[in-house]
């Protein structure tokens, strides 16, 4: 790997290799970053923006030389991948500084990936330009520290593909797609919708199964056919209020295609999904309490089942007491994160509404109950 770095230094006409770093997507596999002496600060440490530039160049070269699978492995996506809340100014514009702090906070919580422009990210209330701006900032700010998914869901096939190609162009590691949520589709049309997107968007794709908002469940037999026919459809985010569909998805899809990922969409089903053989969860609670869901996953992987059970019991209060404080729950996530000390705006896009003072009191009490606040 070191020789590869020196070859890259010659190609880029950079005189020296001055520091060692890691490739986050590979589980902190060590690599060498190449940086010219004249772009170091006075303490001989690399400036963050320069690190991102040279890291990106190096990773691109290494992947082209030895192949990404040798560095990353086939199973990049796993564990806790929260739907990151989008932070806005009071005028409804992207608050870049606050968004950056939100991303850094969640990463520091130990999560294993990031999902931008999901339900918790308020994508459905955004204009096209705001969605693209948000995706671009989030991918740029994440800077390869973790695998990053971008939601590309839209009502029409062409628009979904457009968002997918944009995600590819900005460096997203994968995309998440929900089935259209106005006109119901036949099973044949459901299959064709996802297959068409898979053929046009050259990225790993997660199917977002959320029948409560689409009004239509995706049968496991359709998911199985898509998994077998479309190699770049790599998993399903199963947001269902029952274990039956999650169980059937795990048993049938993983039998047909062992590398296919089944991830729980609702917080309370993370542990059950892991027990059944699933791969993790997409918990909105990781926006304000990442230590709980990350703790569940890590304890389970380490066979510390008593710890995972104890954390799951704490998590149970989140959907029971915290999420119902607002519908949709966007303001709840941001107010909770702010109460933990994160300096962010809690503005939400209409028609969602801010949390009332009375609800904030209830939220604080619930956060104390689950051990997030003293």
């Amino acid at each position: 790997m070191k020789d590869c770095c020196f070859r890259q230094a010659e190609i880029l006409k950079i005189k020296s290799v001055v520091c060692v770093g890691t490739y986050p997507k590979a589980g902190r596999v060590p690599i060498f970053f190449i940086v010219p002496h004249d772009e170091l600060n006075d303490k001989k440490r690399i400036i963050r923006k320069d690190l991102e530039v040279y890291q990106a160049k190096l990773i691109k070269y290494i992947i082209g030389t030895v192949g990404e699978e040798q560095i990353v492995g086939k199973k990049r996506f796993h564990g806790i991948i929260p739907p990151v809340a989008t932070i806005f100014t009071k005028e409804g514009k992207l608050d870049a500084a606050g968004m950056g702090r939100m991303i850094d906070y969640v990463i520091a919580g130990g999560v294993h990936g990031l999902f931008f422009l999901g339900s918790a990210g308020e994508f459905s209330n955004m204009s096209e330009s705001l969605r693209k701006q948000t995706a671009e900032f989030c991918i740029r700010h994440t800077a390869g520290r973790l695998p990053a998914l971008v939601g590309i869901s839209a009502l029409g096939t062409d628009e979904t593909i457009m968002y997918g190609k944009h995600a590819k162009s900005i460096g997203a590691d994968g995309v998440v797609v929900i089935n259209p949520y106005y006109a119901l589709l036949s099973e044949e049309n459901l299959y064709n919708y996802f297959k068409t997107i898979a053929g046009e968007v050259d990225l790993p794709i997660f199917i977002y199964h959320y029948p409560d908002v689409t009004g239509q469940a995706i049968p496991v037999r359709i998911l199985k056919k898509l998994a077998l026919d479309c190699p770049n459809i790599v998993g399903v985010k199963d947001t269902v209020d029952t274990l039956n569909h999650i169980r059937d998805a795990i048993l049938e899809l993983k039998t047909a295609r062992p590398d296919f990922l089944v991830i729980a969409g609702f917080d309370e089903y993370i542990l059950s999904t892991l027990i059944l053989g699933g791969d993790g969860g997409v918990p909105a609670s990781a926006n304000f309490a990442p230590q709980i869901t990350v703790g569940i996953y890590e304890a389970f992987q380490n066979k510390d089942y008593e710890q995972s059970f104890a954390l799951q019991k704490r998590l149970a209060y989140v959907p029971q007491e915290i999420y119902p404080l607002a519908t949709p729950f966007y303001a709840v996530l941001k107010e909770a994160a702010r109460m933990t000390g994160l300096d962010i705006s809690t503005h939400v896009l209409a028609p969602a509404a801010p949390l009332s003072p009375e609800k904030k009191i209830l939220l604080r009490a619930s956060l104390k109950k689950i051990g997030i606040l003293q």
Side-chain angles (χ1 to χ4, degrees):
M1 184 71 75
K2 185 175 180 181
D3 291 340
C4 175
C5 293
F6 279 104
R7 288 199 303 274
Q8 171 67 347
E10 293 174 2
I11 292 170
L12 294 176
K13 301 188 184 331
I14 294 173
K15 295 182 179 179
S16 58
V17 178
V18 297
C19 65
V20 176
T22 59
Y23 186 21
K25 292 182 185 177
R28 315 310 298 184
V29 170
I31 63 173
F32 291 79
F33 296 132
I34 302 164
V35 187
H37 276 296
D38 59 1
E39 294 198 19
L40 298 178
N41 64 16
D42 57 357
K43 294 182 180 179
K44 302 302 180 187
R45 294 177 182 171
I46 185 165
I47 303 168
R48 178 185 177 84
K49 65 180 178 65
D50 298 321
L51 173 60
E52 292 172 1
V53 170
Y54 289 101
Q55 179 183 11
K57 288 181 180 179
L58 176 59
I59 288 171
K60 183 177 181 181
Y61 175 77
I62 293 173
I63 288 173
T65 303
V66 303
E68 186 170 19
E69 282 192 0
Q70 293 186 42
I71 303 172
V72 181
K74 294 182 179 179
K75 194 175 180 182
R76 280 196 299 177
F77 303 107
H78 71 284
I80 303 303
I81 308 174
V84 183
T86 306
I87 309 304
F88 303 106
T89 66
K90 62 182 180 181
E91 294 82 18
K93 300 180 184 301
L94 178 67
D95 180 348
M99 189 73 233
R101 288 190 288 272
M102 183 80 250
I103 293 169
D104 294 342
Y105 173 82
V106 175
I107 291 176
V111 302
H112 308 94
L114 301 167
F115 173 24
F116 301 111
L117 295 175
S119 296
E122 300 180 63
F123 82 92
S124 60
N125 294 343
M126 292 186 190
S127 65
E128 177 185 330
S129 61
L130 182 55
R131 283 183 66 166
K132 288 182 175 180
Q133 179 192 12
T134 301
E136 290 165 9
F137 174 83
C138 291
I139 295 300
R140 185 170 62 250
H141 188 84
T142 300
R145 288 178 286 172
L146 289 176
L149 296 166
V150 172
I152 63 170
S153 300
L155 286 175
T157 302
D158 290 345
E159 188 178 5
T160 302
I161 291 170
M162 178 268 291
Y163 283 124
K165 290 184 175 180
H166 177 258
K168 169 77 173 180
S169 73
I170 63 174
D173 297 295
V175 294
V176 183
V177 186
I178 202 167
N179 43 307
Y181 41 91
Y182 183 79
L184 299 184
L185 301 177
S186 67
E187 289 190 6
E188 180 181 6
N189 285 340
L190 264 178
Y191 170 82
N192 288 334
Y193 173 72
F194 287 109
K195 185 178 182 182
T196 299
I197 293 166
E200 293 290 336
V201 179
D202 184 23
L203 280 174
I205 295 171
F206 278 83
I207 293 174
Y208 189 172
H209 180 228
Y210 196 177
D212 281 357
V213 298
T214 64
Q216 183 171 26
I218 305 175
V220 172
R221 61 180 173 274
I222 298 298
L223 293 173
K224 181 178 178 180
K225 184 171 174 56
L226 287 165
L228 292 174
D229 294 348
C230 307
N232 63 322
I233 295 182
V234 299
V236 58
K237 175 183 182 288
D238 215 1
T239 309
V240 289
D241 198 14
T242 171
L243 274 176
N244 292 348
H245 194 277
I246 296 173
R247 176 202 63 207
D248 292 348
I250 291 170
L251 295 178
E252 294 193 35
L253 297 175
K254 286 184 173 292
T255 298
R257 185 176 147 186
D259 68 326
F260 197 83
L261 305 176
V262 179
I263 296 179
F266 285 136
D267 303 52
E268 62 264 47
Y269 291 115
I270 290 175
L271 182 55
S272 299
T273 297
L274 293 173
I275 290 171
L276 287 168
D279 301 279
V282 185
S285 61
N287 283 284
F288 58 86
Q291 62 270 46
I292 295 182
T293 48
V294 170
I296 291 170
Y297 180 82
E298 299 292 354
F300 185 84
Q301 297 304 313
N302 293 326
K303 296 182 171 54
D304 186 354
Y305 301 124
E306 287 189 13
Q307 174 69 355
S308 61
F309 297 159
L311 289 169
Q312 185 70 44
K313 288 178 181 178
R314 288 169 58 189
L315 184 64
Y317 289 103
V318 172
Q320 182 189 50
E321 295 186 4
I322 293 178
Y323 291 163
L325 291 173
T327 303
F329 65 176
Y330 310 147
V332 174
L333 302 180
K334 298 175 191 182
E335 290 289 354
R338 188 175 176 85
M339 287 180 183
T340 67
L342 184 60
D343 180 17
I344 57 168
S345 159
T346 59
H347 291 288
V348 293
L349 298 181
L355 213 58
S356 69
E358 295 78 15
K359 294 292 182 65
K360 291 179 184 179
I361 293 172
L362 295 174
L363 174 58
R364 185 173 292 276
S366 292
L367 291 175
K368 289 180 178 179
K369 181 181 290 188
I370 65 173
I372 300 303
L373 297 181
Q374 298 297 317

